[in-house]
Amino acid sequence: LDLVGLLFISNASRESMFAEELGGNTNRRRQEEQRRRRRQAKLQKKKEETEKARPESLQEKPDVVPQAIAQPKPPPSTPSESADSKPTVVSNALQLRAERQAKQKLDKSARKLQSFYRMHRSNSKLLQTITKTLEKHITDLEKLQLLLNKNSSRRTYVPPTATSTALCQQLLFVTTSLPYKNQTRSVSLRDLKVTSHLLRKAIELVFLPGISDIDDSSNAFSEWLQSLQGQVRVQNFLRLCLCVLTTSCEDAVQDICRQFILSMMTSGTQSSTPSTAIDVYRNLLLPVSTPRLVAGVEKTSSGKTTKPLFFWQLGSPLDVISVLRHFLLFSTGGGPIPSMANDIGESCIKAEERGIASCLMLTILKATRGVRDSSERHFLLQRLLTEIYTIPLLSWRVTTDCLLFKDSLDQSKLLVATMIKTFTERFSDTLNTGKIQSLFPIDVSLTICNATPMQSLLANLMQIGHASVGLNGMDVSKLDFAMSATFYEFVATLIDAIPLGTLSTKDSVVEWFSDGKGRETCVLLSPVVMRQCRMVLSSSIVRRLFLCAIDEESLKTKEVLSSKTQKDLKQEKELEEAGPSAVSLAAKEAKIDRSKSFWRSSTWAKKASIGVSKMLSGETAGAKGNLQPKQPQDIDSNRFVVRSKYSPALLMVLCRLYGIVIARWGGFGGEDSVKRVQKNEERKARPVATRMADVGSQSLLNVICFSTNVTETTWGMLQGEKDLTTSINAVVSPTKEKLPVRCLSIRPRYGKEKQHQTRTNAVALLFLFVSSLSHTLIITDDTEVHEMEKPLPLHQLRRCVELLKQLLYRACCVDDVGDSSTSVFQSDYFGLALINSTAKAMRDLYDRSSRRPISTPKLWLIEDLLEKEIKKSKTEQDFVALLSTPVLRICPFLVSFKRRLKLFDRIVYKNRIAIQGENSTNPFHTNPLKPGIPVRITRGRILEDGVKTMNNLGTNMRQRIAVQYYNEAGTKEVGIDAGGLFKEFWTDLSTIAFDPGYSLFRMTEDNCMYPSPLSKAAHGLDHIVLFEFLGRILGKALYEGITMQPQFAHFFLSFLRGDYNYFHMLSDLSTIDRTLHNNIMFLKTYEHDAEDLCLTFSIANDDFGQNNEINLIPNGSEIPVTNENKHHYIGLFAKYYVNDRVKDQCEAVKRGLFEVLDPAWLRIFNEPELQVLISGPSNGELDISDLKSNCRYAGGFTSIDPVRPERFLRHRFVHQRLY
């Protein structure tokens, strides 16, 4: 090749010299070019003159063309051509040169092709020759082995080192590809059948016997380690075996390669290989000191994706964990997350690929399990957890045997549990700070794999937990409590740190991730991985785990809940003596026996009674035949199994795990309800908890509350365990604990901090108890609370009120509720969730106590709360600012009703004085009484004239109104309205408007009023206008301090407050129609098949004597009510009667009311307190003794003069509230 190149260079130089010689120098060429241009210019000028001299007749006839014009135009001459178009010597030389170059190029290509062909032909012949030689040698070894086995007692023939070296070199030559175009040499199986067969025979006859032989001299690998060439030979042979393990071939070949690789990584008892050699081999395959190999992909400058150099390329590392990670990510399924994974599920991974991956993973797991050095073993276990178990869809890529691989030290435990234990012990400090994401590899971009390592690890662990009998709780006798506690505690750590959209039930979720360089990437999370992560919320898993974790006999829950102290007995006695509290206006309810039929009134009840009568008489119900009690599902079987190794640690871990789920996705921890001033960096931080409850968290609460005894058990542990009780008392105490409630966290602690987990366990139990209690009260009526003592006995509910009251008081009044910019504490989502859920549960209990007392009023109050603040306030702004304090926004029931009523009156009074002025005798008074808005009222048309004159005033209703009465003849009555006429008019107006006979309101059984569902039929489209006017009437009465007679229903008062709680619809149904409420509660507690009641998702109304069927859902009349959907039916049933029928009327009253009063002024009162605000504390009855004590006598009368009450009561009496 060098000679040909020299010849080519010399010929080229001679041709260039010859062309220069023929072409002359530069001046000569320039002169020839100038002469050629002058000749062309003369020819062009001559042609133009000829054109001008042509006759006009020839120019007008286009058919006659001169001969000169008809000739074709000659081609343009090149610079090297002369004027007479004769080729020059230079042009000829250049043309010849171009021909020679083209011929040389063709010759060169032909020689290259011939060389390439000869090379590959020679290589093929050489490969065939060496392959035949290798086959002959292996055949000879087989025959020799047979002869020795027959004629000798020697266990196995081991070839000498020279023979092993020759066979190894021949194998590597046969399987190593030649470099082409500077590519890296790599190992590959050329002929799969032949090469794999030779490799299997070589390992069986030569290499495995040498490794397992006692005689060190026959071990070729030990000899090879003595030289650099031998070390390279070992690496290349190991690389060849790894290629076989990751290639589709016969099972026998993969088995022998796996056995060989495994023997190279672990030392056996009969092995002759020195420990140093074993360490060298293992460090090649399982490095414990080198950084892990990046198994991702790279992009070139052109944008094409290329895989980096990997293990099959000579000279690259042989780390089998990285090999497995790369194979799982890019060779199984075609990518980290297969494109068809969401459509076809597990079938997107081929069975062949899954078998190869499982084979390699089992080899690595066995090798890791066999490492004797504890530190090296722990390091490898940590690598497996962070690099292999963080691969998406691992349960699809490998078999269950890989996931449920046992630990050699304890065969009853899974190896993954040991991985978790060693991982948490080493990185305890990082885990305690919540920065677990920094411990996982980031070698694969989220644009390629749209699932983070933490999400993938959580999904894989949940698949393992679901498949393992020792973790899933299907059989409590096989459940390993200690291993389960370790496993689910680590799951809780992951759930605490995963992206917020991971457990979302939405179809598609987008998350923003930072690359660590100040840039953020928008990623659409993988729905497949999200579904696997949501297995932690699976109803069956949650139910089984809690049923196994709760042992009522060991915890003695019933004994703790039933025990009463002297304090409990004293509170019961005080409640009996006090009767209904001054704040509570609810009537007493009779105890209902729900084991009998008590339906009488509605069409729904009559229809249901038919099914019940057939059930009691033994007749058929529909097409079902004789009714047989439905056997209950065996979901509680684990409750009655004796637990030999029971430990409450698992229950603590589950409370922490699902407490984190509820705090982050339950809608409690997403907002700081105390509304402190946050730092700038806290404002810009991404939310870690939702502001609205997710569907998954609500389903979780359904399972916890209605399928387990979590509510009773958690409260029983808080009352019965001394350590937990002490920890909780320290948390709620204003003086014992420095850490604010908003900063509490239940993130699992590891290492040295684990011994301080008693407080964390106590707080987790308290939060799960409060959340489950609040959720249980949604469908629990007052009868169940008082007579059936569900969910807790009444004396335990009173203890709960005392504890939660102290917690809210500390969070809202003692902790740094002001500017937190100088605070060293940072709010945690769990602390915020604990505050919000506690406030929700307490509001619910307080509302129930206001309807039917659970305790005396003083149990809810904090003594002298806001007393100093109210005294210090002077202006309207000062009083209004108190409404924004955390205690009045979150838990106003801690402040006495008297103080809140005083605050409301001060606000209204200051606002009224500022708008209407003040009647004062002081001549220097700057705000005199302003003239009122004149209103003309005719005696016989009070309501009509009131609507006509005042309905459009809007916020001007706060101004003073001057009423002038006219009689029916149109004559003005004598008198000046100084306040009395207005109060008389307002009382008359309210009496007419709220009269049930006017068809705007209806009366309940307790004579309470609520908007009539038939108001539209009675008043047409104007009924909404009338309701808005009634709202203004009500607002004006409250603004002026005038009491009104109407007593409103509880649910209607909730609408007037502006924040109706739709979770109370079932309880509010009892205030509308007690019979309907009893009917629906019978269905709720019905133990047999609900289909036998012949109910559908429809309601029959008989308004105005016409039966109309209303569907609660589309085609509801065709959907039967079953045991599975009866709770849904109960909710829709209550929603229809409480909300749907009167929603427009309630909204209209609320709009009119809020035009006069600020909604924030009323939200500090609950429903019964708002009723006291409207009609006074007398329940519509006059207290004669109270009148006497507050009466001032004039005109010569004294208190000893006789009074005739019946004559006195004939007169219209308008009294003001007395404080």
Side-chain angles (χ1 to χ4, degrees):
L1 291 178
D2 294 338
L3 292 176
V4 173
L6 291 175
L7 290 174
F8 176 77
I9 294 173
S10 61
N11 290 335
S13 61
R14 283 198 299 271
E15 288 177 0
S16 61
M17 292 171 60
F18 179 69
E20 181 70 21
E21 206 173 65
L22 292 177
N25 54 25
T26 307
N27 294 331
R28 183 177 177 181
R29 289 198 303 272
R30 188 182 299 110
Q31 291 175 2
E32 289 180 355
E33 180 67 20
Q34 291 175 357
R35 285 196 296 270
R36 185 183 63 78
R37 290 180 180 177
R38 285 195 295 270
R39 292 192 196 100
Q40 287 181 352
K42 290 180 180 179
L43 290 174
Q44 185 66 22
K45 186 176 180 181
K46 188 175 181 181
K47 289 179 182 179
E48 292 177 356
E49 292 176 352
T50 304
E51 289 288 338
K52 292 180 181 179
R54 185 183 304 168
E56 295 181 359
S57 58
L58 294 177
Q59 294 180 1
E60 294 176 356
K61 296 179 181 181
D63 296 335
V64 182
V65 181
Q67 187 67 22
I69 299 176
Q71 293 178 355
K73 186 176 180 181
S77 59
T78 59
S80 61
E81 294 179 349
S82 59
D84 53 1
S85 301
K86 293 181 180 181
T88 61
V89 178
V90 176
S91 61
N92 292 335
L94 293 176
Q95 184 177 359
L96 292 174
R97 181 183 178 185
E99 293 176 357
R100 286 195 303 271
Q101 289 178 349
K103 186 177 180 181
Q104 290 174 358
K105 188 175 182 181
L106 291 174
D107 293 342
K108 184 178 179 180
S109 300
R111 288 193 300 271
K112 187 175 181 180
L113 289 175
Q114 291 174 0
S115 175
F116 186 80
Y117 171 74
R118 287 193 299 270
M119 180 186 67
H120 278 271
R121 186 179 63 178
S122 302
N123 187 24
S124 299
K125 289 182 179 181
L126 184 60
L127 284 174
Q128 292 176 3
T129 303
I130 295 178
T131 302
K132 291 179 181 180
T133 305
L134 183 60
E135 289 178 348
K136 183 177 181 301
H137 290 168
I138 291 177
T139 305
D140 295 341
L141 285 174
E142 285 182 320
K143 294 179 180 179
L144 180 60
Q145 183 71 43
L146 290 175
L147 291 175
L148 293 176
N149 290 339
K150 291 180 180 179
N151 303 326
S152 176
S153 60
R154 193 169 185 231
R155 52 187 180 278
T156 304
Y157 171 72
V158 180
T161 304
T163 304
S164 302
T165 303
L167 288 176
C168 182
Q169 289 176 342
Q170 291 172 0
L171 270 175
L172 292 176
F173 182 82
V174 170
T175 58
T176 304
S177 62
L178 294 177
Y180 179 67
K181 284 190 176 180
N182 297 327
Q183 288 187 350
T184 305
R185 300 178 66 189
S186 60
V187 173
S188 62
L189 300 178
R190 301 175 184 272
D191 189 345
L192 188 61
K193 295 182 179 179
V194 177
T195 310
S196 60
H197 172 71
L198 294 175
L199 179 62
R200 180 175 65 86
K201 291 295 184 180
I203 295 176
E204 288 180 350
L205 299 174
V206 180
F207 302 115
L208 272 181
I211 293 177
S212 58
D213 192 66
I214 300 177
D215 188 5
D216 187 21
S217 61
S218 60
N219 189 348
F221 287 90
S222 298
E223 295 290 336
W224 291 347
L225 290 179
Q226 305 303 322
S227 63
L228 180 61
Q229 185 178 4
Q231 294 175 8
V232 174
R233 187 181 305 117
V234 171
Q235 294 182 24
N236 292 339
F237 190 78
L238 292 175
R239 184 173 290 108
L240 176 61
C241 294
L242 290 176
C243 283
V244 174
L245 287 178
T246 56
T247 306
S248 176
C249 57
E250 298 179 3
D251 294 339
V253 179
Q254 287 196 340
D255 290 341
I256 196 65
C257 289
R258 181 173 64 252
Q259 185 180 354
F260 175 74
I261 291 292
L262 187 59
S263 64
M264 295 292 285
M265 291 187 291
T266 56
S267 58
T269 57
Q270 299 295 328
S271 176
S272 66
T273 309
S275 58
T276 55
I278 287 294
D279 293 340
V280 173
Y281 300 150
R282 188 170 59 244
N283 286 333
L284 287 175
L285 299 171
L286 291 174
V288 294
S289 57
T290 57
R292 56 177 173 258
L293 181 65
V294 175
V297 294
E298 298 176 350
K299 288 189 176 181
T300 60
S301 57
S302 60
K304 296 182 179 180
T305 301
T306 59
K307 294 182 180 179
L309 302 182
F310 213 68
F311 74 94
W312 58 77
Q313 296 166 340
L314 301 184
S316 60
L318 290 173
D319 181 12
V320 290
I321 296 181
S322 297
V323 170
L324 177 60
R325 176 174 173 82
H326 185 276
F327 183 80
L328 290 172
L329 281 173
F330 301 105
S331 297
T332 56
I337 298 181
S339 58
M340 299 296 292
N342 196 31
D343 299 328
I344 62 177
E346 194 172 352
S347 302
C348 65
I349 307 293
K350 296 180 181 179
E352 188 177 10
E353 296 175 349
R354 188 180 187 186
I356 296 173
S358 302
C359 176
L360 182 58
M361 186 170 178
L362 283 174
T363 304
I364 297 174
L365 292 177
K366 291 178 181 178
T368 305
R369 187 176 64 178
V371 176
R372 296 180 179 178
D373 186 86
S374 59
S375 60
E376 293 183 2
R377 185 170 182 266
H378 291 170
F379 178 79
L380 294 176
L381 291 175
Q382 294 161 17
R383 286 198 60 197
L384 285 172
L385 183 67
T386 57
E387 296 184 40
I388 303 303
Y389 284 83
T390 56
I391 294 176
L393 310 177
L394 182 63
S395 60
W396 294 5
R397 303 175 193 269
V398 296
T399 59
T400 308
D401 296 337
C402 299
L403 301 177
L404 303 182
F405 196 77
K406 300 292 185 179
D407 191 356
S408 60
L409 301 178
D410 188 354
Q411 288 294 331
S412 63
K413 291 187 177 181
L414 300 178
L415 186 61
V416 67
T418 308
M419 295 179 191
I420 292 173
K421 184 178 179 181
T422 56
F423 180 81
T424 54
E425 288 176 354
R426 178 175 180 182
F427 301 107
S428 58
D429 295 338
T430 305
L431 295 177
N432 292 336
T433 58
K435 299 179 180 180
I436 185 175
Q437 65 272 10
S438 62
L439 303 176
F440 298 113
I442 53 174
D443 52 349
V444 181
S445 173
L446 288 174
T447 57
I448 300 173
C449 175
N450 55 340
T452 64
M454 281 191 301
Q455 290 176 314
S456 303
L457 179 58
L458 175 61
N460 296 329
L461 291 181
M462 291 313 304
Q463 297 294 315
I464 295 173
H466 179 67
S468 173
V469 181
L471 295 173
N472 57 21
M474 295 190 69
D475 189 353
V476 67
S477 60
K478 297 180 180 179
L479 181 68
D480 191 327
F481 285 90
M483 182 177 68
S484 299
T486 302
F487 182 85
Y488 288 107
E489 188 173 32
F490 186 68
V491 171
T493 303
L494 293 175
I495 292 180
D496 177 73
I498 57 175
L500 191 58
T502 305
L503 299 185
S504 175
T505 54
K506 298 179 181 178
D507 296 333
S508 59
V509 178
V510 176
E511 284 284 346
W512 290 87
F513 296 95
S514 176
D515 59 355
K517 300 179 181 179
R519 295 172 299 188
E520 293 187 348
T521 305
C522 178
V523 178
L524 179 65
L525 298 181
S526 170
V528 183
V529 178
M530 289 174 59
R531 279 198 298 270
Q532 291 188 351
C533 291
R534 284 199 297 269
M535 284 192 65
V536 72
L537 305 179
S538 173
S539 300
S540 58
I541 294 178
V542 175
R543 184 186 301 111
R544 290 197 302 260
L545 288 176
F546 273 108
L547 291 180
C548 291
I550 296 175
D551 188 359
E552 297 180 356
E553 294 183 1
S554 301
L555 299 175
K556 300 179 180 180
T557 303
K558 293 183 179 179
E559 297 179 9
V560 173
L561 295 182
S562 59
S563 63
K564 293 184 180 180
T565 62
Q566 292 296 328
K567 185 177 180 181
D568 296 328
L569 297 175
K570 181 180 178 181
Q571 290 178 349
E572 288 181 357
K573 185 177 180 180
E574 291 177 353
L575 182 61
E576 291 177 359
E577 294 175 352
S581 63
V583 178
S584 173
L585 300 177
K588 294 182 178 180
E589 295 180 4
K591 183 177 180 180
I592 301 173
D593 184 6
R594 292 187 180 149
S595 62
K596 300 179 180 179
S597 174
F598 44 77
W599 311 317
R600 294 183 181 87
S601 61
S602 64
T603 306
W604 178 89
K606 294 176 182 178
K607 187 176 180 181
S609 63
I610 298 174
V612 175
S613 62
K614 290 182 179 180
M615 177 190 68
L616 297 176
S617 62
E619 299 177 4
T620 59
K624 283 184 170 285
N626 293 332
L627 180 66
Q628 297 294 335
K630 191 174 181 180
Q631 295 296 331
Q633 297 179 358
D634 191 20
I635 61 174
D636 298 344
S637 59
N638 287 330
R639 292 185 181 180
F640 310 105
V641 178
V642 178
R643 298 161 172 83
S644 58
K645 297 181 180 180
Y646 176 75
S647 172
L650 178 59
L651 178 59
M652 301 290 187
V653 169
L654 292 178
C655 291
R656 189 182 300 114
L657 166 61
Y658 291 104
I660 292 174
V661 174
I662 297 172
R664 292 195 66 187
W665 287 274
F668 295 117
E671 183 178 4
D672 189 352
S673 57
V674 185
K675 290 187 178 178
R676 301 172 181 84
V677 178
Q678 300 293 328
K679 299 179 181 180
N680 294 332
E681 56 270 17
E682 293 178 356
R683 293 177 180 176
K684 297 179 181 179
R686 277 194 209 95
V688 295
T690 61
R691 293 174 178 263
M692 300 292 294
D694 191 78
V695 177
S697 65
Q698 297 303 304
S699 301
L700 172 64
L701 284 172
N702 288 337
V703 176
I704 292 176
C705 296
F706 309 125
S707 299
T708 66
N709 292 332
V710 170
T711 306
E712 297 90 336
T713 303
T714 52
W715 181 251
M717 293 181 68
L718 290 173
Q719 295 295 306
E721 298 288 340
K722 185 177 180 181
D723 294 341
L724 296 176
T725 304
T726 304
S727 299
I728 282 298
N729 290 333
V731 169
V732 302
S733 174
T735 57
K736 293 183 180 180
E737 184 68 36
K738 295 182 179 180
L739 186 68
V741 177
R742 62 181 176 85
C743 303
L744 292 176
S745 174
I746 57 173
R747 182 185 302 115
R749 301 291 176 177
Y750 301 96
K752 297 180 180 179
E753 296 186 14
K754 196 166 185 176
Q755 57 185 347
H756 305 296
Q757 278 199 357
T758 304
R759 186 188 67 179
T760 305
N761 291 334
V763 175
L765 286 173
L766 177 63
F767 176 72
L768 195 62
F769 162 72
V770 171
S771 301
S772 60
L773 175 65
S774 177
H775 195 75
T776 304
L777 291 175
I778 293 175
I779 62 170
T780 304
D781 65 336
D782 293 342
T783 302
E784 290 176 314
V785 172
H786 290 270
E787 273 71 32
M788 300 180 181
E789 293 191 337
K790 293 182 179 180
L792 291 174
L794 287 177
H795 68 280
Q796 295 292 346
L797 284 179
R798 286 190 281 270
R799 293 186 189 179
C800 175
V801 169
E802 288 184 308
L803 177 66
L804 300 184
K805 175 184 71 175
Q806 294 296 331
L807 177 66
L808 290 177
Y809 171 68
R810 182 188 171 185
C812 298
C813 302
V814 178
D815 292 339
D816 50 343
V817 298
D819 187 0
S820 67
S821 58
T822 58
S823 176
V824 296
F825 302 108
Q826 186 175 2
S827 299
D828 189 89
Y829 70 87
F830 174 78
L832 301 178
L834 178 60
I835 296 172
N836 294 330
S837 60
T838 302
K840 182 177 181 295
M842 286 287 282
R843 281 196 299 267
D844 199 334
L845 290 173
Y846 185 69
D847 292 341
R848 290 175 182 273
S849 185
S850 64
R851 289 196 300 265
R852 185 174 178 182
I854 296 176
S855 65
T856 55
K858 66 178 182 180
L859 186 67
W860 301 87
L861 305 179
I862 298 295
E863 218 174 307
D864 298 331
L865 189 58
L866 288 188
E867 180 70 22
K868 295 181 180 179
E869 289 79 357
I870 293 177
K871 289 182 178 180
K872 290 180 181 179
S873 301
K874 301 298 181 182
T875 63
E876 180 187 354
Q877 290 75 13
D878 296 338
F879 289 110
V880 172
L882 293 178
L883 296 176
S884 302
T885 55
V887 64
L888 288 181
R889 285 188 293 101
I890 300 174
C891 46
F893 42 81
L894 299 184
V895 184
S896 66
F897 176 55
K898 180 179 179 181
R899 291 193 184 90
R900 284 180 281 137
L901 190 59
K902 182 178 180 181
L903 176 62
F904 174 79
D905 284 337
R906 291 293 90 195
I907 293 174
V908 172
Y909 174 76
K910 293 293 183 181
N911 185 270
R912 188 171 63 244
I913 292 300
I915 294 176
Q916 299 180 6
E918 188 177 10
N919 191 7
S920 175
T921 57
N922 186 359
F924 301 100
H925 188 57
T926 58
N927 188 20
L929 187 66
K930 299 177 183 178
I933 300 176
V935 175
R936 176 174 175 169
I937 301 297
T938 304
R939 284 289 181 185
R941 295 174 50 84
I942 292 179
L943 179 60
E944 291 79 359
D945 290 350
V947 173
K948 180 180 178 181
T949 57
M950 293 185 297
N951 198 36
N952 296 324
L953 291 180
T955 56
N956 290 329
M957 287 286 286
R958 292 187 180 183
Q959 296 184 14
R960 181 170 170 267
I961 295 177
V963 177
Q964 181 64 57
Y965 274 106
Y966 288 79
N967 58 24
E968 296 180 357
T971 305
K972 181 178 179 181
E973 295 183 0
V974 179
I976 299 176
D977 186 6
L981 290 178
F982 171 74
K983 293 180 180 179
E984 180 184 359
F985 161 69
W986 218 250
T987 304
D988 292 339
L989 184 62
S990 62
T991 302
I992 297 172
F994 293 103
D995 186 0
Y998 200 67
S999 299
L1000 287 177
F1001 283 86
R1002 277 186 177 181
M1003 302 291 291
T1004 65
E1005 297 177 5
D1006 296 329
N1007 294 325
C1008 294
M1009 305 181 69
Y1010 68 94
S1012 173
L1014 305 178
S1015 60
K1016 184 177 181 180
H1019 296 277
L1021 298 177
D1022 293 337
H1023 75 120
I1024 296 298
V1025 177
L1026 293 175
F1027 278 111
E1028 289 181 350
F1029 179 63
L1030 293 183
R1032 298 184 182 97
I1033 291 176
L1034 187 59
K1036 184 64 174 177
L1038 292 173
Y1039 190 76
E1040 297 291 343
I1042 303 173
T1043 56
M1044 303 174 67
Q1045 294 181 3
Q1047 298 286 320
F1048 295 115
H1050 187 274
F1051 84 96
F1052 181 58
L1053 292 168
S1054 299
F1055 276 105
L1056 295 182
R1057 291 179 66 249
D1059 56 349
Y1060 179 73
N1061 190 347
Y1062 289 90
F1063 289 142
H1064 295 170
M1065 290 186 297
L1066 190 60
S1067 299
D1068 290 335
L1069 181 62
S1070 63
T1071 64
I1072 298 177
D1073 192 326
R1074 197 165 297 165
T1075 303
L1076 281 177
H1077 180 259
N1078 292 339
N1079 295 345
I1080 205 68
M1081 294 307 295
F1082 175 86
L1083 175 62
K1084 174 190 170 185
T1085 58
Y1086 188 63
E1087 297 180 355
H1088 301 291
D1089 194 349
E1091 289 190 62
D1092 298 314
L1093 302 179
C1094 304
L1095 300 175
T1096 60
F1097 278 79
S1098 61
I1099 293 177
N1101 277 340
D1102 55 355
D1103 297 333
F1104 298 109
Q1106 296 180 356
N1107 291 329
N1108 298 321
E1109 190 174 36
I1110 300 174
N1111 291 327
L1112 297 177
I1113 58 177
N1115 299 324
S1117 59
E1118 301 176 0
I1119 301 176
V1121 177
T1122 63
N1123 288 341
E1124 288 73 20
N1125 60 19
K1126 69 177 183 180
H1127 289 288
H1128 186 205
Y1129 171 78
I1130 291 172
L1132 294 176
F1133 185 89
K1135 178 176 177 291
Y1136 172 76
Y1137 279 100
V1138 176
N1139 179 65
D1140 295 348
R1141 296 199 306 167
V1142 295
K1143 181 178 180 180
D1144 295 337
Q1145 295 90 323
C1146 292
E1147 290 293 335
V1149 176
K1150 187 173 67 174
R1151 285 195 300 270
L1153 176 65
F1154 289 164
E1155 284 184 1
V1156 184
L1157 298 179
D1158 193 321
W1161 299 355
L1162 300 179
R1163 286 176 184 162
I1164 60 176
F1165 305 104
N1166 67 352
E1167 291 79 2
E1169 294 168 349
L1170 182 59
Q1171 183 63 61
V1172 172
L1173 210 64
I1174 294 173
S1175 58
S1178 61
N1179 198 16
E1181 300 176 357
L1182 293 177
D1183 189 346
I1184 301 300
S1185 60
D1186 181 60
L1187 288 172
K1188 287 182 178 180
S1189 61
N1190 291 278
C1191 183
R1192 288 184 296 178
Y1193 298 93
F1197 292 97
T1198 63
S1199 60
I1200 62 175
D1201 292 327
V1203 178
R1204 296 176 60 185
E1206 64 277 5
R1207 182 179 179 183
F1208 172 76
L1209 293 175
R1210 288 196 192 102
H1211 297 278
R1212 181 179 290 106
F1213 180 78
V1214 180
H1215 67 282
Q1216 294 181 344
R1217 286 192 301 270
L1218 303 174
Y1219 306 105

